[in-house]
Amino acid sequence: MTAPASWLDLPPDHPFGVATLPYGVFATGAGTPRVGVRVGEQVLDVAAVAEADGRVPELAAAFGAATLNPLLSLGRPAWRRARAWLTELLTQPDRRAVVAAHLVPLDRVRLSLPIDVADYVDFYASEYHASNVGRIFRPDSPPLTPNWKHLPIGYHGRAGTVVVSGTEIRRPRGQRRPPGAATPTFGPSQALDIEAELGFVVGQATELGTPVSVDEADEHLFGVVLLNDWSARDIQAWEYVPLGPFLGKSFATSISAWVVPLDALAAARVPVPGQDPEPLPYLRGTKPPQGLDIRCEVELNGTVISRPTYRDMYWSPEQMLAHMTVNGARLRDGDLFASGTISGPRDDSLGCLLELTRNGTQPLRLPDGSTRGYLTDGDRVTLRAWAPGPAGARVGLGEVTGTIVPPR
Ligand code: MN
């Protein structure tokens, strides 16, 4: 499959060429939010162009909505139709006249949270991350817990505090127990961290009591966002036993404004590193599990501090979705599940400061001479990523950024 050329004359390696076509929600001036598709440095007003073009009446209402949820509800056949229609519009020169009037420069739009997040789950799918965290938090036990290679571990997070890229992140207050102390104190987190993750956006809701198999997962996986699971390590370390993460995570989770369709990532599917022992039958599909070759970058105040590699993740997205529903839990349009921190095998491919600084004991040195164990107020963190597309194209995942502001 080759990437068709666009009459927009974008450079062939542009991360938002016609091989990407991510969806977001945008507004201009006093206008109402509606669905947009990014192409190059412009946003296509798809509701307007659908009306002008007239060939996709079944999609027009979804494109006019203020979130992607109506589009998510339509399911994969409609998602495919939408993508084929967009590709035709942007590659056939005779469509140029109808389309060009509805392209808006990116610097003139306001982007909002693209989905009304239904349920939010965060997994823990990197063996490197889970092992590193195990060594730091439980130095006297094996790095991986006995269940880790049998099921994709996860927890339910807080959907209502998922925010769009650019939203300020207020340092949380909470309980934390200083090292060696017998009792906790209360105050602003002193160990504010990031977690570089991929988020999967789910559509085509299911009925309660109906598990989704690994092979059926594809029908529900709409696309991916970049996700920063902000984490207060001191609050987390004191509260997490025995029920898992709670207030150390739920103060904010940032996602990118653009949702890249899974269909744009077909050329980036790669086998997962290998699963031993073999998972139980419900975690196996008819094909071997496939991960994603996505190259990430973590930037702190303008300096790249890590390059996590998604292809090193142990569990596939399809296995995570199958596990999440195997008890009969239903899927809702707008469900979001995240991969867990993306950490690879090398010191420069770790996805959080907990690992990069060994829980603050080996601070990073930044070019301005300052050091960071954890984040300081005013710090700006940006995650970026891209994946190989068809025929040498590059599929951009955009960025998710956030700046730390002091507690109220
Ligand atoms: Mn996480």
Side-chain angles (χ1 to χ4, degrees), residues 122-123 155 195 197 229 249 340-341:
D122 192 20
F123 282 99
Y155 66 93
E195 290 192 341
E197 307 195 15
D229 175 24
K249 300 279 196 175
T341 306

Side-chain angles (χ1 to χ4, degrees), residues 120 122-124 129 155 195-197 227-231 233 249 338-341:
Y120 168 52
D122 192 20
F123 282 99
Y124 197 46
H129 173 69
Y155 66 93
E195 290 192 341
E197 307 195 15
L227 183 146
N228 188 345
D229 175 24
W230 305 95
S231 300
R233 299 301 182 194
K249 300 279 196 175
S339 61
T341 306

Side-chain angles (χ1 to χ4, degrees), residues 376-408:
T376 297
D377 292 344
D379 279 353
R380 182 180 179 83
V381 178
T382 303
L383 314 179
R384 296 194 183 83
W386 65 277
R394 193 174 260 244
V395 173
L397 279 85
E399 63 173 42
V400 59
T401 190
T403 301
I404 307 301
V405 297
R408 275 211 180 87

Side-chain angles (χ1 to χ4, degrees), residues 343-365:
S343 288
R346 298 187 320 273
D347 284 350
D348 65 353
S349 61
L350 304 171
C352 64
L353 291 171
L354 173 70
E355 293 171 84
L356 286 163
T357 71
R358 311 294 184 272
N359 197 18
T361 61
Q362 296 174 30
L364 300 175
R365 183 166 292 278

